Amino acid sequence: RLLPHDITWTPYEDHRDVCPFNNIALYSGWIRCGSTKIRYLPERVLRQFDYVQTIPRDPHATANILMTVDQIDQHWLQYMKRVLTSDMLGSRATLPSDTAPGYMVWYFRISHPYIICIPEGYSVRSPETDAAVQEET
């Protein structure tokens, strides 16, 4: 029952002067603590970093499930090679609803195929048409 105005879209915005953004936050891959390993894929939540939301890479492309603990450690030690590039980041978002072309079509078709009813009187930007996405279906 949440509506878009009930959500804090930029949770870290008020704290940037106290804790500035560090590029290590854009590291993409496995991180681990002891034997526990977790995929950390910021490209799947770019909006939090004020970038246009793009269609994320497949998790296996960045964090293959078969990676060993030693391989994870090596990636972490050389994390600058695993930081998202400017091409992956795309352009800066100016509105919380900014997305890359084709993202909304992908989002409703792949990421969130179950669409909730929109309350009467609430306007929602319609998904754009993207020839590449349309050809996939």
Side-chain angles (χ1 to χ4, degrees):
R1 296 186 183 212
L2 282 177
L3 297 175
H5 66 270
D6 296 324
I7 299 169
T8 302
W9 293 100
T10 52
Y12 309 111
E13 190 170 43
D14 296 336
H15 306 290
R16 288 194 183 132
D17 57 333
V18 178
C19 185
F21 184 77
N22 191 325
N23 281 342
I24 197 169
L26 296 176
Y27 168 85
S28 181
W30 289 102
I31 55 176
R32 74 174 191 91
C33 181
S35 61
T36 303
K37 63 180 189 178
I38 303 292
R39 283 184 179 129
Y40 180 73
L41 306 172
E43 63 268 30
R44 300 184 79 80
V45 289
L46 284 177
R47 187 169 293 132
Q48 290 185 16
F49 299 123
D50 278 343
Y51 286 95
V52 167
Q53 189 74 34
T54 59
I55 297 172
R57 296 180 292 168
D58 185 274
H60 296 293
T62 347
N64 187 323
I65 194 78
L66 300 176
M67 285 186 71
T68 66
V69 169
D70 290 335
Q71 289 171 317
I72 293 168
D73 288 347
Q74 285 304 309
H75 281 186
W76 182 249
L77 290 172
Q78 300 168 354
Y79 77 90
M80 282 306 293
K81 294 179 182 176
R82 309 285 300 172
V83 169
L84 299 178
T85 66
S86 58
D87 289 341
M88 293 172 190
L89 291 173
S91 58
R92 286 267 185 192
T94 55
L95 301 169
S97 61
D98 280 347
T99 61
Y103 176 78
M104 292 307 297
V105 172
W106 173 87
Y107 180 84
F108 285 117
R109 198 180 88 234
I110 305 296
S111 183
H112 290 76
Y114 303 105
I115 301 172
I116 60 169
C117 294
I118 303 297
E120 190 175 328
Y122 187 80
S123 65
V124 176
R125 191 173 81 173
S126 63
E128 68 280 352
T129 58
D130 184 22
V133 175
Q134 297 297 333
E135 289 175 1
E136 288 179 10
T137 56

